Amino acid sequence: MGRLRGTGLGLLTACFLFVMAPGAEEQTAPAAGEEELEMPMVALTFDDGPRRSTTTQLLDGLAQRKVPATFFVVGSRVKGNEELLQRMAREGHQIGVHTYSHTQLTGLSSAQVACEIQQGRQALTQALGPGDYWLRPPFGLVNSCVKACADSPIILWSVDPEDWKDKNTARIVDHVVSNAKDGDIILLHDMYPSSVQAALEIVDRLGERGFCFVTVEQLMACQEIAPEAGVIFP
Ligand code: NI
């Protein structure tokens, strides 16, 4: 699933940028015209934000490292953070919706589920303009109603260091670095300084091992999976 083909030019560019970043000197970019390269790739995802202090620090660190990520934003946190979100979009990050008020969707009626998702997307649209804003449901809880109302792919994760639990940077980094493999989606929260520090260390450590970082959308494209409304990924 890390087999890149010559068709994903934007993705390849993103990968080359990372490969050529400081700290990854041992990696060499493939020669022009080379058809395929093996490069394990993962998507870093951040839920529950934005939060001005920590998200700004994270964006600074990701920009330095030329690494894109995916942010699943809580709609009620958009107001007052519009510039932060606009910076995210400008710097090539994918932005998705994490409902309006971070409610457990599986406890709600169909109309309430639709409302939570739509209001979240509306807040994003007001700040950023129209977009797809893929859904990550709070707590990763999905039922038939959530699938029917999602109106986008439903994005879960495959590596969860439970960064909210002890806020221990070293433990979070160790968990992710020792578990991450090609094609993984890593769950973190940009609300905690410990998670921001962990995320940047994860980028550096996995980068040294030749990992490439992409958005969830790029990861799916690379796996040749077409985005489909109401379908869970991964
Ligand atoms: Ni959440």
Side-chain angles (χ1 to χ4, degrees):
M1 65 179 63
R3 199 169 281 268
L4 291 180
R5 288 177 183 82
T7 50
L9 284 180
L11 179 56
L12 286 172
T13 305
C15 292
F16 289 173
L17 281 173
F18 180 74
V19 163
M20 292 186 288
E25 292 90 344
E26 69 272 23
Q27 299 292 323
T28 51
E34 195 169 313
E35 281 183 8
E36 292 181 345
L37 64 137
E38 290 296 336
M39 187 181 278
M41 64 176 63
V42 292
L44 287 172
T45 64
F46 298 92
D47 286 9
D48 295 5
R51 182 181 180 202
R52 187 177 295 269
S53 57
T54 48
T55 307
T56 299
Q57 199 194 341
L58 176 61
L59 289 175
D60 290 346
L62 293 174
Q64 258 176 3
R65 291 162 176 80
K66 299 184 170 66
V67 162
T70 303
F71 291 85
F72 292 99
V73 167
V74 173
S76 65
R77 301 187 65 87
V78 169
K79 203 166 191 246
N81 284 317
E82 289 88 348
E83 281 179 22
L84 200 52
L85 288 165
Q86 286 155 10
R87 177 184 171 190
M88 255 179 215
R90 203 169 51 238
E91 294 183 354
H93 303 293
Q94 185 180 353
I95 299 168
V97 67
H98 198 45
T99 73
Y100 184 78
S101 55
H102 203 274
T103 310
Q104 181 181 326
L105 294 176
T106 52
L108 303 181
S109 72
S110 173
Q112 287 171 319
V113 170
C115 189
E116 268 291 336
I117 298 170
Q118 280 164 16
Q119 279 194 319
R121 286 205 177 110
Q122 209 170 6
L124 286 170
T125 301
Q126 274 166 13
L128 298 166
D132 291 344
Y133 308 123
W134 293 359
L135 174 68
R136 171 170 281 164
F139 318 105
L141 293 172
V142 177
N143 59 14
S144 57
C145 185
V146 174
K147 286 181 185 173
C149 296
D151 207 24
S152 80
I154 298 170
I155 307 303
L156 300 183
W157 55 84
S158 52
V159 175
D160 178 8
E162 299 190 320
D163 61 328
W164 45 270
K165 243 183 189 169
D166 56 8
K167 303 186 179 68
N168 180 326
T169 299
R171 187 198 60 75
I172 298 164
V173 172
D174 279 349
H175 179 103
V176 173
V177 168
S178 52
N179 286 286
K181 58 185 189 312
D182 183 36
D184 271 332
I185 295 185
I186 297 160
L187 171 63
L188 291 164
H189 298 80
D190 52 322
M191 305 289 283
Y192 314 115
S194 50
S195 297
V196 169
Q197 203 192 326
L200 300 177
E201 282 184 40
I202 288 163
V203 169
D204 293 339
R205 298 257 307 264
L206 289 180
E208 284 165 12
R209 284 172 40 191
F211 276 75
C212 168
F213 294 86
V214 292
T215 65
V216 170
E217 192 174 12
Q218 290 167 333
L219 188 67
M220 281 179 79
C222 213
Q223 297 180 12
E224 296 177 2
I225 297 172
E228 230 180 296
V231 175
I232 294 173
F233 180 80

